[in-house]
């Protein structure tokens, strides 16, 4: 288990690389996280670098394609810092971004706190705490030059590859009565159209929501009203480049877009 000084040192290195848009091969042995607990401890220290209230949480690798993309066996939770959020229809800089993919996602904004407790939250309990559903786009990246070789613990420390995030408007549709598993958002990119599928997100975006709620519960963390959970890509990560417009149409659930520069 890393001690306080090792956690702080690892966090500072990752934060400095994020700010500079630079990469590293790996954290040195003395401060390298060895397991998920170490990884989350380093990630928690990253949150302290932000002067703003935490915007929310992301889940990496909720699809088989996402897991293969970063070479992990299952989902990872990461923090969405307020300064990384881009307005719907806004411009995302590609500077320093080596992963270079966009991901259409279902995002939930919480209406009620979910405090840590000894027993797991059910999917229904997680949904009962949700206020609104939003279409979203995540633009992940890693501070590791070869993120496929970094391993689970380092990727969690690396904020689960969080980088930039676009939140669309809250849907006015009655999403609670809909089968999100069978929702098929359409993504338009460079004149091509791609079709996502709700089942790609841990089988159901609502199940992914509950997974994140319980991952935080296991860490002793409070999920707070107003925070957003984005549940992972519903389409295999799509390659992006400067000049691209990325638009995701979730049908009655709404639309969200971003331009890369």
């Amino acid at each position: 288990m890393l001690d306080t000084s090792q956690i702080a040192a690892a966090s500072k290195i990752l934060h400095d690389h994020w700010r500079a848009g630079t990469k590293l091969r790996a954290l040195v042995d003395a401060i390298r996280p060895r397991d998920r607990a170490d990884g989350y401890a380093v990630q928690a220290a990253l949150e302290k670098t932000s002067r703003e209230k935490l915007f929310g949480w992301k889940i990496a690798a909720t699809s088989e394609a996402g897991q293969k993309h970063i070479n992990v066996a299952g989902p990872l939770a990461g923090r969405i810092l307020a300064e990384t959020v881009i307005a719907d229809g806004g411009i995302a800089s590609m500077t320093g971004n080596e992963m270079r993919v966009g991901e259409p996602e279902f995002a939930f904004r919480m209406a009620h706190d979910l405090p840590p407790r000894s027993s797991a939250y059910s999917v229904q309990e997680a949904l009962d705490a949700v206020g609104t559903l939003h279409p979203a786009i995540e633009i992940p990246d890693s501070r590791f030059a070869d993120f496929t070789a970094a391993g689970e613990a380092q990727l969690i420390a690396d904020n689960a590859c969080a980088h930039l995030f676009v939140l669309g408007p809250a849907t006015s549709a009655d999403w609670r009565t809909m089968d999100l598993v069978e929702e098929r958002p359409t993504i338009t990119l460079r004149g091509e159209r791609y079709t996502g599928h709700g089942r790609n997100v841990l089988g159901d975006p609502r199940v992914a929501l509950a997974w994140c709620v319980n991952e935080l519960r296991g860490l002793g963390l409070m999920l707070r009203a107003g925070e957003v959970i984005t549940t992972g890509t519903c389409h295999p990560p799509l390659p992006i480049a400067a000049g691209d417009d990325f638009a995701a149409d979730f049908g009655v659930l709404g639309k969200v877009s971003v331009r890369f520069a």
Side-chain angles (χ1 to χ4, degrees):
M1 181 71 181
L2 298 179
D3 63 26
T4 302
S5 62
Q6 291 168 318
I7 290 167
S11 175
K12 184 178 186 308
I13 288 171
L14 290 169
H15 178 261
D16 288 350
H17 278 282
W18 177 62
R19 285 294 188 192
T22 52
K23 309 297 177 186
L24 71 160
R25 186 184 66 79
L27 292 165
V28 297
D29 284 347
I31 59 173
R32 185 180 304 165
R34 303 297 179 184
D35 54 25
R36 291 176 74 94
D38 274 353
Y40 279 122
V42 174
Q43 186 189 121
L46 283 172
E47 182 183 345
K48 298 175 183 178
T49 66
S50 176
R51 296 183 179 181
E52 300 184 59
K53 184 178 178 181
L54 183 68
F55 188 85
W57 297 86
K58 63 155 288 182
I59 316 174
T62 52
S63 69
E64 184 177 347
Q67 290 163 17
K68 288 180 178 178
H69 189 59
I70 59 174
N71 200 24
V72 296
L76 318 172
R79 287 159 164 85
I80 303 174
L81 304 182
E83 56 265 43
T84 69
V85 179
I86 297 169
D88 179 25
I91 297 174
S93 172
M94 293 293 290
T95 302
N97 186 337
E98 294 299 328
M99 195 173 281
R100 293 178 173 263
V101 294
E103 302 179 342
E105 309 201 356
F106 297 87
F108 299 90
R109 189 185 288 278
M110 309 310 293
H112 306 289
D113 292 349
L114 287 178
R117 68 184 194 187
S118 59
S119 60
Y121 285 97
S122 68
V123 173
Q124 190 58 54
E125 286 177 308
L127 286 170
D128 288 345
V130 170
T132 51
L133 173 67
H134 303 246
I137 298 169
E138 195 198 355
I139 307 153
D141 195 27
S142 175
R143 273 41 70 181
F144 294 106
D146 184 0
F147 54 84
T148 65
E152 180 181 84
Q154 286 198 111
L155 289 178
I156 290 173
D158 188 31
N159 207 11
C161 300
H163 183 51
L164 299 174
F165 179 67
V166 186
L167 185 69
T171 183
S172 59
D174 185 9
W175 61 270
R176 293 181 189 274
T177 65
M178 298 172 61
D179 183 6
L180 298 183
V181 173
E182 291 305 327
E183 286 301 303
R184 297 173 184 264
T186 300
I187 306 95
T188 303
L189 179 65
R190 291 188 296 276
E192 299 291 332
R193 291 167 65 87
Y194 305 87
T195 302
H197 203 155
R199 71 181 179 192
N200 290 335
V201 187
L202 278 185
D204 186 332
R206 295 163 294 198
V207 170
L209 167 71
W211 178 89
C212 189
V213 167
N214 285 309
E215 185 80 345
L216 302 186
R217 177 192 63 85
L219 295 169
L221 296 174
M222 170 84 81
L223 179 60
R224 301 186 183 279
E227 292 180 350
V228 168
I229 293 180
T230 191
T231 53
T233 186
C234 59
H235 187 281
L238 288 163
I240 55 174
D244 285 347
D245 289 294
F246 188 111
D249 185 345
F250 284 70
V252 299
L253 296 176
K255 301 176 181 179
V256 63
S257 67
V258 67
R259 181 174 178 81
F260 298 102

